[in-house]
Amino acid sequence: AVQREEVRKNGIVFIVDLQGVGLGMLSAFSFADMKRGIMMWRDAFPCKLKKIYILNLPSVLALTLKSAKSCLSQKIQDRISIEGPKATTMFEDIVRDQIPEALGGSKPFNWQKEVDVILGTSAPKS
């Protein structure tokens, strides 16, 4: 996708679903690890970030997210949207048929098939 000029110019939207993520999972990463990852992504990602939608943010992770956001410019912070259980705001930017059913969209999605295509272990969808 980032090889297409219109994607680099118009930007991309990330949807991050944190359902099932807890402090135990985050304990594997220090704040320095998170900051380094954010800085690498911010300074090296080859296309514009239009928006990040964070779904199912557990309350125990809200402080961690606040700390991580502090590493970002205000412009990028303003592009981060925390969505409640209904996740309706993201449908203002993304049409439902581009979002997997599991996230409230209408696109059928088979994770294993997608991984196989990426890894080249099966033919891409035609």
Side-chain angles (χ1 to χ4, degrees):
V2 295
Q3 294 176 350
R4 295 187 352 223
E5 181 62 32
E6 69 270 14
V7 172
R8 288 193 301 272
K9 180 181 174 188
N10 297 327
I12 60 169
V13 174
F14 283 134
I15 300 174
V16 181
D17 184 6
L18 296 177
Q19 185 171 353
V21 175
L23 286 177
M25 191 176 288
L26 285 182
S27 66
F29 304 97
S30 69
F31 182 73
D33 291 332
M34 287 185 253
K35 183 176 179 180
R36 186 174 42 256
I38 290 168
M39 301 297 253
M40 287 184 336
W41 168 78
R42 185 191 72 189
D43 296 336
F45 200 70
C47 58
K48 175 183 169 187
L49 174 64
K50 184 175 179 182
K51 194 84 170 179
I52 297 176
Y53 290 100
I54 298 178
L55 311 179
N56 301 309
L57 177 67
S59 56
V60 297
L61 298 181
L63 183 60
T64 303
L65 177 62
K66 186 176 180 178
S67 296
K69 281 176 66 174
S70 70
C71 299
L72 303 171
S73 70
Q74 187 62 48
K75 183 177 178 180
I76 298 298
Q77 288 183 43
D78 293 342
R79 293 179 183 177
I80 298 173
S81 177
I82 309 298
E83 295 285 311
K86 302 274 184 198
T88 57
T89 307
M90 70 180 175
F91 296 115
E92 294 170 9
D93 289 323
I94 312 168
V95 293
R96 286 186 187 270
D97 67 358
Q98 294 181 349
I99 298 175
E101 293 169 333
L103 299 178
S106 61
K107 179 179 182 172
F109 186 80
N110 180 311
W111 183 251
Q112 187 59 53
K113 285 183 183 177
E114 297 296 326
V115 169
D116 288 345
V117 169
I118 291 168
L119 296 177
T121 54
S122 73
K125 298 177 202 173
S126 40

